[in-house]
Amino acid sequence: MARPGTACPQPARRVMVAARALLFWALVYSYCGVCACIAGLRLLWSIGRRPGETFRWVVRENPPACLNDPSLGTHCYVRIKDSGLRFHYVAAGERGKPLMLLLHGFPEFWYSWRHQLREFKSEYRVVALDLRGYGETDAPPHKENYKLDCLIADIKDILESLGYNKCVLIGHDWGGMIAWLVAICYPEMVTKLIVVNFPHPSVFTEYILRHPSQLIKSGYYFFFQMPWFPEFMFTLNDFKVLKSLFTSQATGIGRKGCRLTAEDIEAYLYVFSQPGALTGPINHYRTLFSCLPLQHHEVIMPTLLLWGERDAFMEVEMAEITRIYVKNHFRLTILSEASHWLQQDQPDIVNKLIWTFLKEETKRKRE
C-alpha cells in the first residue's frame, strides 16, 4: 500500500484512467441513444402527419446562378500531394496579395463567406475553401480520414500549395474549431486569427461537461456518432431540417439580420441534396471524441473572437473564458441581435470589425 502523500501505484493509475475512459464513452453513447430516440419520435410524428411528404427528396440538378457570380471570385482546385485529395475553393483578389483563408462551418460551404469575398479582395487574396468532404472537395469514404489531425494537415498543405507560408486565418463554427487548432499547431503560419462563434477547443470541452444546458445544445455532436441515420434525417421533407437551421425563429437569422434569399437557400440545397453529400460533413464529428482533450492549448498570435449572442448552439459565456488561452492581444466583440450564422447575419458589422482589427494590428506593429 502506498504511503500518504506518495503517488498512486502504476496499476492503480491505469485502473483510474480506464474507469474514466469508460465513464466518458458511456456518457457519449448514452446521450447518442437519447438523441437517436428523440429523432426517431420526430420521424414517427412526421410520418403520422404527412406520410407522403416525409420521404420526399429532390436532388437539385443545376446550381443557382449565385454560385457562379463573378463578383465572388474564381472557382479553383488544388490537389494535395500527401493525401492526394482535390480541394475546391473560390478565390477573389489579386495573386501575390496577403492571403486571407476562410474556413466554413456545418452545414455550410464556401458560399457562407460571400460577403467577405467581396469585401476583402481589395487588399487580400481571399480564399474560401470547401473543407474535406464538403461540396466539390473530395470526400474520403472512411470516417478515420476526418480526424482532427487530417483536417489540420489539410490547411497547412493547402497554404503551401497556394504558394504562401502564412495567412490571416478566419473560421466559423466547425471551421472555427479547425482554425483554433491550426493556430495552436502551426503558429508560424497564422499572422492573425479571427474566429466566429466558436470558443477555444479546451474551453468547449471543459464547459460542456460542467454545463448540462450546453450539453443539450450540442446534442447533434452525439447524434452524429451514429452511422447513416443522421444523414437520413436531414433528407426528410426535402431537407426541412437544413432549411429551418437558417430560417426558423429558434435557430435561424433573426428579424434584424440579413436573411438568406430564396436563391441562397437553393444554393445550400443544391450542394447538400447530391447523393452522399452529407456523409463527409457529418464524418467530421464522428471522430471528434477520440481526439479530445487537447495536449497543447496556447494561442500566441493576435486574436479576434466575434460572437452572435443569439447563438442557439453555443452559450456566450464560453466566449469570455476563451481569453485565458490567448497569450497575445485578444479582442472579443459580442453582437446582441445576431445569430449563430454571424458573417451572413450581420455582414456589414462583421466586415467592419474585421477591418478594424486588421488595421489596428498593423498600426500596433509599426509603433
Side-chain angles (χ1 to χ4, degrees), residues 316-332:
V316 70
E317 288 76 12
M318 290 189 287
E320 184 59 44
I321 303 172
T322 290
R323 186 183 301 274
I324 66 175
Y325 290 100
V326 180
K327 307 305 177 183
N328 202 314
H329 175 62
F330 177 76
R331 179 178 292 277
L332 167 64

Side-chain angles (χ1 to χ4, degrees), residues 40-89:
L41 290 172
R42 287 176 176 167
L43 172 59
L44 292 174
W45 176 256
S46 179
I47 293 173
R49 290 184 63 198
R50 291 175 294 181
E53 292 291 313
T54 297
F55 301 106
R56 188 170 68 91
W57 166 13
V58 178
V59 176
R60 275 67 180 176
E61 299 290 344
N62 301 306
C66 62
L67 292 183
N68 293 306
D69 183 347
S71 72
L72 296 178
T74 305
H75 289 261
C76 307
Y77 300 87
V78 62
R79 189 171 296 277
I80 304 303
K81 291 182 180 179
D82 289 345
S83 66
L85 298 179
R86 189 184 77 156
F87 283 78
H88 168 253
Y89 64 91

Side-chain angles (χ1 to χ4, degrees), residues 205-246:
T205 53
E206 293 165 9
Y207 189 91
I208 196 173
L209 293 174
R210 296 176 183 174
H211 296 81
S213 55
Q214 181 59 54
L215 190 68
I216 293 169
K217 290 179 179 179
S218 301
Y220 61 98
Y221 279 67
F222 298 87
F223 178 54
F224 287 170
Q225 303 309 305
M226 298 186 66
W228 71 263
F229 192 47
E231 290 96 318
F232 171 70
M233 289 298 295
F234 262 92
T235 65
L236 298 179
N237 296 290
D238 194 29
F239 298 89
K240 181 180 179 181
V241 171
L242 182 64
K243 298 172 194 172
S244 67
L245 281 172
F246 296 108

Side-chain angles (χ1 to χ4, degrees), residues 244-255 259 310 312 339:
S244 67
L245 281 172
F246 296 108
T247 61
S248 72
Q249 187 174 354
T251 64
I253 294 172
R255 289 176 296 176
R259 294 193 174 190
R310 291 184 60 255
S339 69

Side-chain angles (χ1 to χ4, degrees), residues 296-315:
H296 305 289
H297 305 277
E298 292 186 353
V299 174
I300 61 172
M301 69 286 302
T303 302
L304 171 66
L305 178 57
L306 301 176
W307 204 281
E309 193 172 29
R310 291 184 60 255
D311 191 327
F313 308 102
M314 295 283 171
E315 295 190 351

